[in-house]
Every structure is written in C-alpha cells, then in structure tokens.
Short mmCIF file of all heavy atoms in Angstrom, two decimals:
data_model
loop_
_atom_site.label_atom_id
_atom_site.label_comp_id
_atom_site.label_asym_id
_atom_site.label_seq_id
_atom_site.Cartn_x
_atom_site.Cartn_y
_atom_site.Cartn_z
N ASP A 19 0.86 -1.17 0.02
CA ASP A 19 -0.02 -0.01 -0.06
C ASP A 19 0.90 1.29 -0.07
O ASP A 19 2.11 1.22 0.08
CB ASP A 19 -1.00 0.03 1.15
CG ASP A 19 -0.39 0.17 2.51
OD1 ASP A 19 0.84 0.54 2.59
OD2 ASP A 19 -1.12 -0.15 3.49
N SER A 20 0.22 2.38 -0.02
CA SER A 20 0.92 3.68 -0.20
C SER A 20 1.71 4.05 1.01
O SER A 20 2.66 4.84 0.89
CB SER A 20 -0.08 4.82 -0.52
OG SER A 20 -1.01 4.87 0.44
N SER A 21 1.49 3.40 2.21
CA SER A 21 2.41 3.76 3.28
C SER A 21 3.49 2.67 3.44
O SER A 21 4.32 2.74 4.39
CB SER A 21 1.42 3.48 4.57
OG SER A 21 1.15 2.09 4.86
N GLY A 22 3.68 1.75 2.41
CA GLY A 22 4.77 0.75 2.50
C GLY A 22 4.40 -0.52 3.15
O GLY A 22 5.29 -1.35 3.10
N LYS A 23 3.25 -0.71 3.68
CA LYS A 23 2.83 -1.88 4.29
C LYS A 23 2.61 -2.98 3.28
O LYS A 23 1.98 -2.56 2.31
CB LYS A 23 1.65 -1.71 5.20
CG LYS A 23 1.15 -2.97 5.90
CD LYS A 23 -0.04 -2.82 6.71
CE LYS A 23 -0.49 -4.04 7.27
NZ LYS A 23 -1.79 -3.93 8.08
N SER A 24 3.12 -4.16 3.48
CA SER A 24 2.86 -5.23 2.45
C SER A 24 2.07 -6.37 3.01
O SER A 24 2.25 -6.67 4.12
CB SER A 24 4.12 -5.64 1.85
OG SER A 24 4.91 -6.30 2.85
N LEU A 25 1.42 -6.99 2.11
CA LEU A 25 0.70 -8.25 2.49
C LEU A 25 0.96 -9.34 1.51
O LEU A 25 0.90 -8.99 0.29
CB LEU A 25 -0.95 -8.10 2.59
CG LEU A 25 -1.40 -7.13 3.67
CD1 LEU A 25 -2.88 -6.87 3.50
CD2 LEU A 25 -1.23 -7.84 4.97
N THR A 26 1.31 -10.55 1.92
CA THR A 26 1.62 -11.59 1.00
C THR A 26 0.67 -12.75 1.24
O THR A 26 0.37 -13.02 2.46
CB THR A 26 3.09 -12.07 1.28
OG1 THR A 26 3.99 -10.99 1.25
CG2 THR A 26 3.52 -13.26 0.39
N PHE A 27 0.34 -13.35 0.16
CA PHE A 27 -0.69 -14.49 0.19
C PHE A 27 -0.11 -15.64 -0.73
O PHE A 27 0.62 -15.41 -1.76
CB PHE A 27 -2.03 -14.08 -0.35
CG PHE A 27 -2.70 -13.00 0.42
CD1 PHE A 27 -2.41 -11.63 0.16
CD2 PHE A 27 -3.40 -13.22 1.58
CE1 PHE A 27 -3.02 -10.71 0.76
CE2 PHE A 27 -3.95 -12.21 2.37
CZ PHE A 27 -3.85 -11.02 1.90
N VAL A 28 -0.25 -16.86 -0.31
CA VAL A 28 0.37 -17.95 -0.99
C VAL A 28 -0.80 -18.96 -1.42
O VAL A 28 -1.82 -19.01 -0.88
CB VAL A 28 1.31 -18.77 -0.19
CG1 VAL A 28 2.51 -17.91 0.22
CG2 VAL A 28 0.68 -19.39 1.13
N ARG A 29 -0.50 -19.68 -2.45
CA ARG A 29 -1.25 -20.80 -3.18
C ARG A 29 -2.76 -20.45 -3.18
O ARG A 29 -3.24 -19.55 -3.72
CB ARG A 29 -0.86 -22.03 -2.40
CG ARG A 29 0.44 -22.44 -2.57
CD ARG A 29 0.80 -23.72 -1.97
NE ARG A 29 2.16 -23.95 -1.89
CZ ARG A 29 2.78 -25.16 -1.97
NH1 ARG A 29 2.01 -26.20 -1.98
NH2 ARG A 29 4.02 -25.27 -1.94
N GLU A 30 -3.54 -21.37 -2.53
CA GLU A 30 -4.96 -21.29 -2.60
C GLU A 30 -5.53 -20.03 -1.95
O GLU A 30 -6.55 -19.51 -2.35
CB GLU A 30 -5.66 -22.56 -1.81
CG GLU A 30 -5.50 -23.82 -2.70
CD GLU A 30 -6.27 -23.77 -4.05
OE1 GLU A 30 -7.53 -23.34 -3.96
OE2 GLU A 30 -5.74 -24.03 -4.97
N THR A 31 -4.86 -19.52 -0.92
CA THR A 31 -5.27 -18.29 -0.30
C THR A 31 -5.34 -17.14 -1.28
O THR A 31 -6.20 -16.40 -1.35
CB THR A 31 -4.42 -18.00 0.94
OG1 THR A 31 -4.40 -19.07 1.73
CG2 THR A 31 -4.96 -16.79 1.61
N ALA A 32 -4.16 -17.02 -2.03
CA ALA A 32 -4.10 -16.03 -3.05
C ALA A 32 -5.21 -16.26 -4.11
O ALA A 32 -5.90 -15.21 -4.59
CB ALA A 32 -2.71 -16.12 -3.79
N ARG A 33 -5.33 -17.44 -4.60
CA ARG A 33 -6.40 -17.72 -5.64
C ARG A 33 -7.76 -17.23 -5.16
O ARG A 33 -8.41 -16.59 -5.82
CB ARG A 33 -6.33 -19.18 -6.05
CG ARG A 33 -7.33 -19.54 -7.13
CD ARG A 33 -7.32 -20.96 -7.37
NE ARG A 33 -8.00 -21.70 -6.22
CZ ARG A 33 -9.29 -21.74 -5.95
NH1 ARG A 33 -10.19 -21.16 -6.62
NH2 ARG A 33 -9.67 -22.47 -4.94
N THR A 34 -8.09 -17.78 -3.99
CA THR A 34 -9.49 -17.52 -3.44
C THR A 34 -9.69 -16.10 -3.21
O THR A 34 -10.75 -15.51 -3.37
CB THR A 34 -9.89 -18.42 -2.33
OG1 THR A 34 -8.90 -18.29 -1.26
CG2 THR A 34 -9.89 -19.87 -2.80
N LEU A 35 -8.67 -15.46 -2.66
CA LEU A 35 -8.78 -13.98 -2.43
C LEU A 35 -9.14 -13.17 -3.72
O LEU A 35 -9.89 -12.28 -3.61
CB LEU A 35 -7.34 -13.53 -1.83
CG LEU A 35 -7.34 -11.90 -1.63
CD1 LEU A 35 -8.11 -11.60 -0.39
CD2 LEU A 35 -5.87 -11.54 -1.51
N LEU A 36 -8.62 -13.55 -4.92
CA LEU A 36 -8.81 -12.91 -6.08
C LEU A 36 -10.09 -13.46 -6.77
O LEU A 36 -10.48 -13.02 -7.78
CB LEU A 36 -7.66 -13.11 -6.99
CG LEU A 36 -6.40 -12.49 -6.54
CD1 LEU A 36 -5.14 -12.88 -7.35
CD2 LEU A 36 -6.55 -10.93 -6.47
N GLY A 37 -10.75 -14.48 -6.12
CA GLY A 37 -11.94 -15.08 -6.88
C GLY A 37 -11.69 -15.84 -8.09
O GLY A 37 -12.56 -15.94 -8.96
N LEU A 38 -10.62 -16.45 -8.14
CA LEU A 38 -10.26 -17.23 -9.40
C LEU A 38 -10.44 -18.77 -9.27
O LEU A 38 -10.44 -19.21 -8.21
CB LEU A 38 -8.78 -16.87 -9.77
CG LEU A 38 -8.35 -15.53 -9.95
CD1 LEU A 38 -6.92 -15.42 -10.11
CD2 LEU A 38 -9.17 -14.84 -11.15
N ARG A 39 -10.58 -19.30 -10.43
CA ARG A 39 -10.90 -20.79 -10.43
C ARG A 39 -9.53 -21.66 -10.48
O ARG A 39 -9.62 -22.75 -10.39
CB ARG A 39 -11.81 -21.11 -11.58
CG ARG A 39 -13.12 -20.53 -11.38
CD ARG A 39 -13.97 -20.82 -12.68
NE ARG A 39 -15.39 -20.27 -12.46
CZ ARG A 39 -16.29 -20.25 -13.30
NH1 ARG A 39 -15.93 -20.75 -14.65
NH2 ARG A 39 -17.42 -19.73 -13.16
N SER A 40 -8.47 -20.97 -10.84
CA SER A 40 -7.28 -21.72 -11.01
C SER A 40 -6.09 -20.85 -10.50
O SER A 40 -6.15 -19.73 -10.38
CB SER A 40 -7.01 -21.91 -12.63
OG SER A 40 -5.77 -22.42 -12.80
N GLN A 41 -5.02 -21.50 -10.21
CA GLN A 41 -3.82 -20.91 -9.76
C GLN A 41 -2.89 -20.44 -10.92
O GLN A 41 -1.81 -19.99 -10.71
CB GLN A 41 -2.98 -21.78 -8.71
CG GLN A 41 -3.55 -21.77 -7.35
CD GLN A 41 -2.91 -22.77 -6.46
OE1 GLN A 41 -3.52 -23.60 -5.95
NE2 GLN A 41 -1.66 -22.54 -6.30
N ARG A 42 -3.42 -20.62 -12.20
CA ARG A 42 -2.63 -20.26 -13.35
C ARG A 42 -3.11 -18.92 -13.72
O ARG A 42 -4.11 -18.79 -14.46
CB ARG A 42 -2.80 -21.27 -14.47
CG ARG A 42 -1.90 -21.00 -15.63
CD ARG A 42 -1.96 -21.90 -16.71
NE ARG A 42 -1.11 -23.12 -16.74
CZ ARG A 42 0.31 -23.08 -16.55
NH1 ARG A 42 0.92 -21.95 -16.24
NH2 ARG A 42 1.01 -24.18 -16.68
N TYR A 43 -2.38 -17.85 -13.47
CA TYR A 43 -2.77 -16.38 -13.75
C TYR A 43 -1.55 -15.42 -13.72
O TYR A 43 -0.51 -15.96 -13.21
CB TYR A 43 -3.80 -15.92 -12.86
CG TYR A 43 -3.62 -15.80 -11.39
CD1 TYR A 43 -3.00 -14.71 -10.82
CD2 TYR A 43 -3.81 -16.94 -10.59
CE1 TYR A 43 -2.71 -14.65 -9.42
CE2 TYR A 43 -3.53 -16.85 -9.21
CZ TYR A 43 -2.93 -15.72 -8.72
OH TYR A 43 -2.74 -15.71 -7.38
N THR A 44 -1.77 -14.36 -14.36
CA THR A 44 -0.67 -13.39 -14.39
C THR A 44 -1.34 -12.10 -13.81
O THR A 44 -2.49 -11.86 -13.90
CB THR A 44 -0.13 -13.04 -15.71
OG1 THR A 44 -1.19 -12.76 -16.65
CG2 THR A 44 0.55 -14.34 -16.33
N VAL A 45 -0.49 -11.18 -13.26
CA VAL A 45 -0.84 -9.84 -12.83
C VAL A 45 0.00 -8.86 -13.59
O VAL A 45 1.23 -9.01 -13.56
CB VAL A 45 -0.61 -9.85 -11.39
CG1 VAL A 45 -0.96 -8.38 -10.80
CG2 VAL A 45 -1.46 -10.83 -10.51
N THR A 46 -0.67 -7.96 -14.19
CA THR A 46 0.09 -6.79 -14.82
C THR A 46 -0.42 -5.45 -14.28
O THR A 46 -1.58 -5.41 -13.85
CB THR A 46 -0.08 -6.79 -16.37
OG1 THR A 46 -1.40 -6.82 -16.68
CG2 THR A 46 0.57 -8.04 -16.87
N GLY A 47 0.41 -4.52 -14.27
CA GLY A 47 0.03 -3.21 -13.78
C GLY A 47 0.22 -2.29 -14.87
O GLY A 47 0.91 -2.51 -15.82
N GLY A 48 -0.29 -1.05 -14.80
CA GLY A 48 -0.16 -0.30 -15.88
C GLY A 48 0.74 1.00 -15.80
O GLY A 48 0.94 1.40 -14.75
N GLY A 49 1.20 1.45 -16.98
CA GLY A 49 1.78 2.69 -16.93
C GLY A 49 3.31 2.91 -16.82
O GLY A 49 3.96 3.54 -17.69
N ASN A 50 3.88 2.48 -15.79
CA ASN A 50 5.23 2.87 -15.41
C ASN A 50 6.21 1.84 -15.91
O ASN A 50 5.90 0.54 -15.93
CB ASN A 50 5.32 3.10 -13.99
CG ASN A 50 4.35 4.28 -13.52
OD1 ASN A 50 4.41 5.27 -14.25
ND2 ASN A 50 3.73 4.18 -12.58
N PRO A 51 7.50 2.18 -16.02
CA PRO A 51 8.49 1.10 -16.57
C PRO A 51 8.93 0.07 -15.47
O PRO A 51 8.63 0.31 -14.34
CB PRO A 51 9.65 2.08 -16.87
CG PRO A 51 9.54 3.25 -15.97
CD PRO A 51 8.01 3.47 -15.91
N PRO A 52 9.43 -1.07 -15.91
CA PRO A 52 9.88 -1.95 -14.88
C PRO A 52 10.97 -1.43 -13.94
O PRO A 52 11.75 -0.58 -14.46
CB PRO A 52 10.42 -3.06 -15.80
CG PRO A 52 10.01 -2.80 -17.22
CD PRO A 52 9.68 -1.31 -17.25
N GLU A 53 10.85 -1.97 -12.86
CA GLU A 53 11.79 -1.58 -11.80
C GLU A 53 12.38 -2.94 -11.13
O GLU A 53 11.66 -3.96 -11.06
CB GLU A 53 11.33 -0.77 -10.73
CG GLU A 53 10.94 0.56 -11.28
CD GLU A 53 10.53 1.61 -10.06
OE1 GLU A 53 10.31 1.16 -8.96
OE2 GLU A 53 10.37 2.75 -10.46
N LEU A 54 13.63 -3.03 -10.77
CA LEU A 54 14.21 -4.14 -10.20
C LEU A 54 14.21 -4.01 -8.64
O LEU A 54 14.51 -2.81 -8.08
CB LEU A 54 15.73 -4.35 -10.64
CG LEU A 54 15.86 -4.59 -12.15
CD1 LEU A 54 17.31 -4.77 -12.30
CD2 LEU A 54 15.21 -5.89 -12.50
N PHE A 55 13.84 -4.98 -7.88
CA PHE A 55 13.78 -4.92 -6.46
C PHE A 55 14.62 -6.13 -5.93
O PHE A 55 14.43 -7.29 -6.47
CB PHE A 55 12.33 -4.97 -6.00
CG PHE A 55 11.63 -3.76 -6.36
CD1 PHE A 55 11.05 -3.74 -7.49
CD2 PHE A 55 11.53 -2.72 -5.44
CE1 PHE A 55 10.38 -2.55 -7.97
CE2 PHE A 55 10.78 -1.55 -5.72
CZ PHE A 55 10.18 -1.45 -7.04
N ALA A 56 15.50 -6.02 -4.89
CA ALA A 56 16.17 -7.05 -4.40
C ALA A 56 15.15 -7.93 -3.52
O ALA A 56 15.13 -9.07 -3.63
CB ALA A 56 17.30 -6.60 -3.57
N ASP A 57 14.46 -7.32 -2.68
CA ASP A 57 13.46 -8.13 -1.85
C ASP A 57 12.32 -7.17 -1.23
O ASP A 57 11.43 -7.76 -0.80
CB ASP A 57 14.24 -8.77 -0.65
CG ASP A 57 14.92 -7.85 0.22
OD1 ASP A 57 14.76 -6.57 0.12
OD2 ASP A 57 15.58 -8.18 1.20
N SER A 58 12.38 -5.95 -1.61
CA SER A 58 11.28 -5.06 -1.18
C SER A 58 11.26 -3.82 -1.78
O SER A 58 12.19 -3.49 -2.62
CB SER A 58 11.47 -4.90 0.35
OG SER A 58 12.54 -4.03 0.64
N ALA A 59 10.36 -2.98 -1.72
CA ALA A 59 10.26 -1.68 -2.34
C ALA A 59 11.40 -0.84 -2.01
O ALA A 59 11.99 -0.05 -2.79
CB ALA A 59 9.02 -0.95 -1.96
N SER A 60 11.96 -1.04 -0.74
CA SER A 60 13.14 -0.21 -0.40
C SER A 60 14.40 -0.63 -0.95
O SER A 60 15.37 0.07 -0.81
CB SER A 60 13.28 -0.21 1.09
OG SER A 60 13.57 -1.47 1.61
N GLY A 61 14.43 -1.81 -1.61
CA GLY A 61 15.69 -2.28 -2.29
C GLY A 61 15.83 -2.03 -3.80
O GLY A 61 16.30 -2.83 -4.49
N LYS A 62 15.09 -0.92 -4.09
CA LYS A 62 15.10 -0.73 -5.62
C LYS A 62 16.51 -0.47 -6.34
O LYS A 62 17.31 0.23 -5.70
CB LYS A 62 14.29 0.53 -5.89
CG LYS A 62 13.93 0.81 -7.22
CD LYS A 62 12.86 1.91 -7.45
CE LYS A 62 13.49 3.32 -7.20
NZ LYS A 62 12.64 4.33 -7.72
#
C-alpha cells in the first residue's frame, strides 16, 4: 500500500482472495517502466 505496508498471500489463499478458479494467472500493472527490487520496495 501507499504507506509501504505489504501483505503476502500464498497458493490457494491467493487464488480464492482474487476469486479465481485456477492458480494459473498473471498480474500486470499499467503505465510505469519495470523496476528491479532485491527483496522489497526499499531495495530498488
């Protein structure tokens, strides 16, 4: 989120949270160029 707090979800929890029928999906965001992160937003 905008305050830097992060939430991570795994496997079935992630799938059901998004209301999907399968764990085969992709997520894309719009507009800005790719950035590299070591392990978090602060490691850009």
Side-chain angles (χ1 to χ4, degrees):
D19 71 14
S20 58
S21 69
K23 181 180 176 186
S24 65
L25 293 170
T26 302
F27 299 92
V28 297
R29 299 183 187 210
E30 285 295 309
T31 305
R33 180 190 68 77
T34 55
L35 174 77
L36 297 172
L38 301 173
R39 296 180 178 165
S40 171
Q41 286 179 231
R42 187 178 268 312
Y43 58 92
T44 59
V45 176
T46 55
N50 299 318
E53 294 187 346
L54 296 179
F55 294 82
D57 60 6
S58 69
S60 64
K62 188 168 78 168

